[in-house]
Amino acid sequence: MGRDGRAGAYVARIVDKYPVRLAFWSSLLLSLIAVMGTATVGRDAALYIDIAQQVSEHGPSVAWKHFDWPWFSFLLAGTHLVLRLPLELSAYLWCGLFLAGTCALMVDCVRRRSPDTARWACLVVLAMPAVNSFRNDIIREYGFWFFCTLALWLALRWQDRGGWLRAALIHLAIVAGLFFRLEAVLLFLALGLWQLPNLWSPTHRSRFMQFALLPVIGLFAALVSGAFLAPRLMLYLEMITPRNVFASFQMLSEQFGNSLVNKYSRDEAGRIIFFGILASLSISFVKLMGPFAVPFVLRRNWGALSAYWRDYRPFAWAALLYAVVLVLFFIKEQFMNTRYVSFLNLLFVPVLAMGLSAFARQFPRGCKALVVLGLLVMLSNVLSFGAGKTHYIEAGHWMAAHTESGESAYFEDGRISYYAGRGYVLPLLTREEAMSAQHAGEYRYFLIDAKEGEPWLSAWLAEHNLRILAHFANRKGATVLVIGR
């Protein structure tokens, strides 16, 4: 065996012996690399950090005026209050820890049920684009993923050992996930369906009672306290009401049908829409697997699905229900964000790990190439060679230095106002509306994404007696113009 072979064997032994630790610390390292290459925060991040800043200065009540589910911002504000860390650093720290914890817990779930596939689960969870392409973002999904994975990990431990305390910890983890995204509530139903057969078994009925008692008490307490009247929860309940789902689907079908030329095609609009949604969701799901979808090109590897249903049934029920939630969301909102699909991919990590394990036995050399490709995808998820949005930072700093905070300004992107020290301002008007004759007089400054010398802009400046005060561009040539008198 050559030197490279001995090194590869040594690495394999390390991965086999410490897959959970490797997943945790490697995840932290990947997050650090991703964050170091990030120039600006995302729109959601700017909103959460701005709310946390206002909570730190004015108290928690101000948060509800800006966002109807501000618990993540409360976490950031509390961290800032206790540790005195900058809010942006606190956000990146929590996101990195949540994602590292998610990776470690998922690998440990696989290690407990399928020890031989733990090394593959480690590779999948660290490289799969569904989870890792967001490492440089500050998003609530990290907390949602972590606590949902923690609940599933606790559920597997409870299945092996039982106990009222372990059952209670499952529900506490789900409740913690609710503070990040309300979709975590589906785990109550998923785990309930998983345990339902025990209700009819005299020998396992006590297990069902261990699991079901606390959710029943919690549901009763929520009804008595009026928790279901929270605006965000009412919005979710409205989305899943059968009458509203049917009305939204009918509206979507009619909109699509009216765009068709052939009358007979219009009659099929509903079927086209329904199966189109399923196809779109499936394509996004497979795309977010990255190279780890390759083993399933071979039909013989589909047997991993039956093993998934047998050994990871809580995951399978959660995945099935979450797929239903995604379809309902698509029908209601008429779009699908890949970030929302990512949790579905996360629930399928055991399937992907088992598929890779089978592929390695069938094609040892081909699997080595797939591992190399997976490592390259892992790096591409965290390394960015594109031009960052540095022009947003420069434009914001210019506004902070040259204008008073009370002067009216239109920000086409709220991150410019964030870097100007004015907080995250979500534009209520489009650029065209703000610059129209009806609204142009309301603003003293306009900060827009445009280039100097565009014909429409020159005419508009002359018409309103305005001029370009400053312009800022990144390496790619994207430009922010500061317009005023």
Side-chain angles (χ1 to χ4, degrees):
M1 181 183 296
R3 183 177 299 176
D4 292 342
R6 289 194 298 270
Y10 177 75
V11 172
R13 286 196 298 270
I14 292 295
V15 176
D16 286 338
K17 191 173 183 179
Y18 307 109
V20 178
R21 297 181 190 178
L22 184 64
F24 182 84
W25 293 109
S26 297
S27 178
L28 283 181
L29 178 61
L30 290 171
S31 295
L32 178 62
I33 295 171
V35 170
M36 288 178 64
T38 302
T40 57
V41 298
R43 289 186 176 90
D44 289 350
L47 174 64
Y48 303 145
I49 295 172
D50 177 44
I51 294 174
Q53 181 66 45
Q54 296 191 50
V55 169
S56 300
E57 296 175 355
H58 307 294
S61 60
V62 71
W64 300 97
K65 300 176 182 178
H66 301 276
F67 189 41
D68 58 2
W69 208 248
W71 303 104
F72 183 40
S73 295
F74 288 153
L75 175 62
L76 301 183
T79 305
H80 173 69
L81 178 65
V82 174
L83 300 180
R84 294 300 174 185
L85 293 175
L87 288 169
E88 195 169 313
L89 177 60
S90 299
Y92 279 124
L93 181 61
W94 276 114
C95 289
L97 289 173
F98 280 142
L99 186 51
T102 300
C103 294
L105 288 170
M106 185 59 70
V107 172
D108 197 50
C109 287
V110 175
R111 183 186 65 84
R112 291 174 179 276
R113 287 291 187 268
S114 314
D116 294 339
T117 61
R119 65 163 78 174
W120 302 111
C122 187
L123 176 62
V124 170
V125 83
L126 292 173
M128 184 172 60
V131 175
N132 296 279
S133 59
F134 304 106
R135 283 191 178 274
N136 63 335
D137 288 333
I138 296 170
I139 50 178
R140 292 180 294 141
E141 274 75 9
Y142 289 130
F144 167 62
W145 294 344
F146 172 74
F147 285 109
C148 287
T149 307
L150 176 61
L152 293 168
W153 180 80
L154 290 168
L156 295 182
R157 287 172 59 87
W158 173 76
Q159 183 184 23
D160 294 336
R161 304 179 183 180
W164 287 90
L165 178 59
R166 291 188 180 92
L169 291 176
I170 297 171
H171 303 308
L172 288 176
I174 297 174
V175 170
L178 288 172
F179 287 111
F180 292 88
R181 293 203 70 90
L182 273 172
E183 288 88 342
V185 74
L186 68 86
L187 285 184
F188 284 121
L189 181 57
L191 297 178
L193 290 171
W194 169 51
Q195 285 299 304
L196 189 60
N198 289 337
L199 179 61
W200 319 116
S201 171
T203 57
H204 296 95
R205 192 168 296 155
S206 61
R207 279 291 188 96
F208 179 83
M209 293 303 298
Q210 285 179 9
F211 178 82
L213 184 60
L214 273 179
V216 171
I217 295 174
L219 179 62
F220 179 75
L223 290 172
V224 172
S225 65
F228 285 109
L229 298 179
R232 195 169 188 84
L233 188 55
M234 291 292 290
L235 180 66
Y236 276 67
L237 291 174
E238 180 184 350
M239 185 179 71
I240 63 175
T241 302
R243 178 170 55 86
N244 292 332
V245 171
F246 181 75
S248 297
F249 185 76
Q250 284 292 105
M251 182 180 69
L252 185 58
S253 300
E254 290 174 4
Q255 290 174 348
F256 178 71
N258 292 334
S259 68
L260 300 175
V261 176
N262 194 305
K263 176 184 180 299
Y264 300 103
S265 297
R266 295 177 189 173
D267 296 336
E268 299 294 324
R271 292 187 183 90
I272 295 172
I273 286 293
F274 179 73
F275 288 104
I277 290 173
L278 294 182
S280 177
L281 179 59
S282 300
I283 292 170
S284 296
F285 177 67
V286 173
K287 180 181 176 182
L288 290 172
M289 288 182 187
F292 307 117
V294 171
F296 298 96
V297 172
L298 302 175
R299 189 171 181 177
R300 56 186 165 181
N301 291 331
W302 294 4
L305 291 171
S306 61
Y308 181 61
W309 178 253
R310 183 187 67 243
D311 299 331
Y312 300 89
R313 193 161 300 181
F315 290 76
W317 274 119
L320 180 62
L321 292 177
Y322 191 70
V324 173
V325 169
L326 291 175
V327 171
L328 294 177
F329 180 85
F330 200 116
I331 292 172
K332 178 69 175 179
E333 302 296 334
Q334 301 185 16
F335 81 96
M336 180 55 60
N337 191 320
T338 55
R339 197 174 71 204
Y340 302 156
V341 182
S342 293
F343 182 59
L344 185 61
N345 288 80
L346 182 64
L347 292 170
F348 264 77
V349 166
V351 178
L352 300 181
M354 288 186 285
L356 272 174
S357 180
F359 189 76
R361 292 191 298 269
Q362 297 157 8
F363 306 98
R365 292 185 179 179
C367 189
K368 290 180 181 178
L370 193 58
V371 169
V372 172
L373 183 58
L375 293 174
L376 291 175
V377 171
M378 183 190 299
L379 292 176
S380 70
N381 289 328
V382 298
L383 295 177
S384 176
F385 300 101
K389 298 184 182 295
T390 54
H391 52 308
Y392 288 175
I393 301 176
E394 294 168 352
H397 290 170
W398 186 95
M399 283 293 291
H402 294 85
T403 66
E404 298 293 333
S405 59
E407 294 180 300
S408 60
Y410 174 78
F411 298 94
E412 187 174 358
D413 192 299
R415 284 172 290 183
I416 304 175
S417 63
Y418 170 79
Y419 285 110
R422 297 190 178 199
Y424 182 76
V425 177
L426 185 65
L428 300 178
L429 303 174
T430 64
R431 183 176 72 179
E432 290 72 19
E433 291 172 340
M435 299 176 73
S436 66
Q438 181 181 359
H439 295 286
E442 300 173 9
Y443 303 100
R444 182 169 182 178
Y445 299 97
F446 295 84
L447 288 89
I448 61 173
D449 287 290
K451 295 185 182 296
E452 296 181 79
E454 295 185 33
W456 71 269
L457 181 59
S458 300
W460 185 85
L461 291 173
E463 179 183 353
H464 292 84
N465 194 28
L466 297 172
R467 62 189 180 91
I468 297 173
L469 301 177
H471 72 277
F472 305 93
N474 66 358
R475 289 190 293 107
K476 200 173 180 178
T479 307
V480 169
L481 300 180
V482 182
I483 299 172
R485 288 184 174 82

